[in-house]
Amino acid sequence: MSAQRAIRCSVIRGGTSKGLYFRAEDLPRDVATRDRVLLSAMGSPDIREIDGMGGGHPLTSKVAVVQRSRRADADVDYLFLQVWPDRAEVADNQNCGNLLAGVGPFALEEGLIGPDGDETSVRIWMENTETIAVARVQTPSGRVRYDGDARIDGVPGTAAPIPLEFLDVAGSTCGNLLPTGHVADRVAGVQVTCIDNGMPVVCVRADDVGLTGYEEPAEIEANASVCELVESIRLAAGALMNLGDVAAKTVPKVSLLAPAKGGGALSTRTFIPRRVHEAIGVFGAVSVATACLLPGSVANVVSGIHASDGETTLDIEHPTGYFSVSLRTRHDGDGVVVTSSALLRTARLLMRGEVFVPGTVWGDE
């Protein structure tokens, strides 16, 4: 009988998610073996993930794999992996901007990069989308600072701010900002906008699927007819967005939109893809905010926003508050070009140590 295998890792809350952060060198190189190890570490498949570190929800069953970058334009490489609580599946076909917020602190804590004054800029190559993000981490006296006055909805209390800037993420998964070539399409009998500015998202008016757009996530999940309609829209849109058969994929997301209720740009309820997010993902918020600035899009019609050249900050409302996204745009003929996007997240190191998995999972005799 083989003993358990110990693997170094940290548990970090990144944005409104939580996950296990590993150095790439500490995980098996073989992808199939790596996935078995991560499933065991999380305790999946089991809806409670009682025999592992997962929290029984997609937002708390995530993994970040980090290593020194071999690229001249980046400090570290970051691979995001979604471990599903309810099935033996590890997905790498999307990015996660929430766990991204913890990559800079993790890299500094692990000595993958060194601090640079009171604030350290960490250039992160996001392997899932092959794009770069820049995270600014507070490092007074050469140590990562976690306490501060920054507040983000969906997380109790305050923490040190971690501004994130995204460089050239438009079309990073689908090939184009508007994968169908149109700002609006009719899919499964419903008008939609398919967009990819860091995350493939299908924007749909909530009232087109029989909702107000202000329901709580659990209420929406309990509505079988709405969930079936949303999934049919997602499957049809996925093919149009150059993603092929998305039945087993985590993208595209579907964001149901309604007029703002709390002073923001608009209100959202986002499927991720079969659970409804308690907030909204980082890149999902960026994509929805971008859609707000595109004349004729579903989001633009719902929000009524008129974009001007320069920087625009939009508050994207979600079930637990709002998410502020800053976009820099310029007009190009009748269209709008997004040149950069930025937002604010926080992170906190919760635990550092070893997670144990059965040796047989790794392949030990």
Side-chain angles (χ1 to χ4, degrees):
M1 181 179 295
S2 64
Q4 292 202 101
R5 171 83 70 122
I7 314 167
R8 292 185 302 164
C9 74
S10 295
V11 181
I12 299 177
R13 174 192 60 77
T16 55
S17 295
K18 181 170 61 177
L20 303 183
Y21 288 67
F22 294 93
R23 294 178 66 145
E25 65 206 57
D26 291 332
L27 291 173
R29 291 188 177 183
D30 175 68
V31 171
T33 306
R34 179 204 68 191
D35 288 354
R36 288 198 303 270
V37 166
L38 295 178
L39 287 164
S40 179
M42 284 293 188
S44 176
D46 173 56
I47 58 173
R48 295 179 300 160
E49 293 184 316
I50 197 66
D51 198 37
M53 297 297 295
H57 191 283
L59 299 183
T60 55
S61 188
K62 297 183 173 187
V63 169
V65 182
V66 184
Q67 62 183 328
R68 283 193 181 91
S69 184
R70 288 168 289 186
R71 298 176 57 91
D73 58 352
D75 298 308
V76 294
D77 297 340
Y78 155 56
L79 175 68
F80 168 68
L81 298 171
Q82 176 71 66
V83 181
W84 291 101
D86 60 347
R87 57 189 185 273
E89 180 183 332
V90 178
D92 65 358
N93 56 13
Q94 70 166 76
N95 207 340
C96 177
N98 275 305
L99 250 60
L100 172 67
V103 171
F106 177 76
L108 286 156
E109 296 277 10
E110 289 291 311
L112 295 174
I113 61 171
D116 183 18
D118 289 342
E119 183 179 86
T120 301
S121 290
V122 185
R123 293 181 65 88
I124 303 166
W125 175 251
M126 300 179 289
E127 294 186 43
N128 305 78
T129 52
E130 298 187 335
T131 53
I132 285 180
V134 181
R136 300 204 308 272
V137 183
Q138 293 188 6
T139 51
S141 302
R143 300 185 64 180
V144 177
R145 180 179 180 180
Y146 294 101
D147 64 303
D149 298 325
R151 182 186 301 275
I152 60 173
D153 287 330
V155 177
T158 62
I162 301 179
L164 299 173
E165 182 181 6
F166 304 110
L167 310 179
D168 194 26
V169 295
S172 54
T173 300
C174 301
N176 291 286
L177 178 68
L178 296 171
T180 70
H182 310 112
V183 293
D185 295 275
R186 198 156 193 85
V187 175
V190 175
Q191 190 171 36
V192 307
T193 290
C194 300
I195 188 165
D196 173 18
N197 197 22
M199 177 65 70
V201 174
V202 184
C203 298
V204 181
R205 291 182 64 105
D207 55 13
D208 280 347
V209 298
L211 298 178
T212 65
Y214 310 120
E215 293 85 355
E216 291 298 318
E219 181 182 352
I220 299 174
E221 290 176 357
N223 190 325
S225 61
V226 166
C227 291
E228 290 172 5
L229 175 56
V230 168
E231 181 63 4
S232 69
I233 294 170
R234 193 182 80 86
L235 293 175
L240 296 177
M241 296 174 75
N242 305 315
L243 295 172
D245 181 359
V246 299
K249 295 181 180 179
T250 61
V251 291
K253 315 297 187 189
V254 176
S255 194
L256 306 182
L257 311 181
K261 198 173 184 180
L266 43 62
S267 178
T268 64
R269 296 295 186 268
T270 303
F271 284 74
I272 57 172
R274 296 173 185 85
R275 298 290 299 272
V276 179
H277 207 307
E278 297 292 335
I280 187 172
V282 168
F283 290 107
V286 172
S287 287
V288 170
T290 303
C292 288
L293 303 182
L294 303 181
S297 75
V298 171
N300 179 255
V301 172
V302 172
S303 66
I305 290 173
H306 298 283
S308 57
D309 288 350
E311 186 168 314
T312 302
T313 298
L314 301 180
D315 294 334
I316 305 301
E317 298 178 6
H318 55 72
T320 50
Y322 67 89
F323 201 133
S324 296
V325 180
S326 295
L327 299 167
R328 187 167 290 280
T329 59
R330 60 177 172 81
H331 280 80
D332 183 11
D334 295 331
V336 173
V337 177
V338 179
T339 57
S340 69
S341 52
L343 44 85
L344 178 69
R345 294 280 84 185
T346 67
R348 188 165 77 89
L349 176 64
L350 303 177
M351 191 197 76
R352 180 167 49 209
E354 297 172 332
V355 64
F356 291 85
V357 300
T360 51
V361 173
W362 196 292
D364 296 345
E365 296 296 330

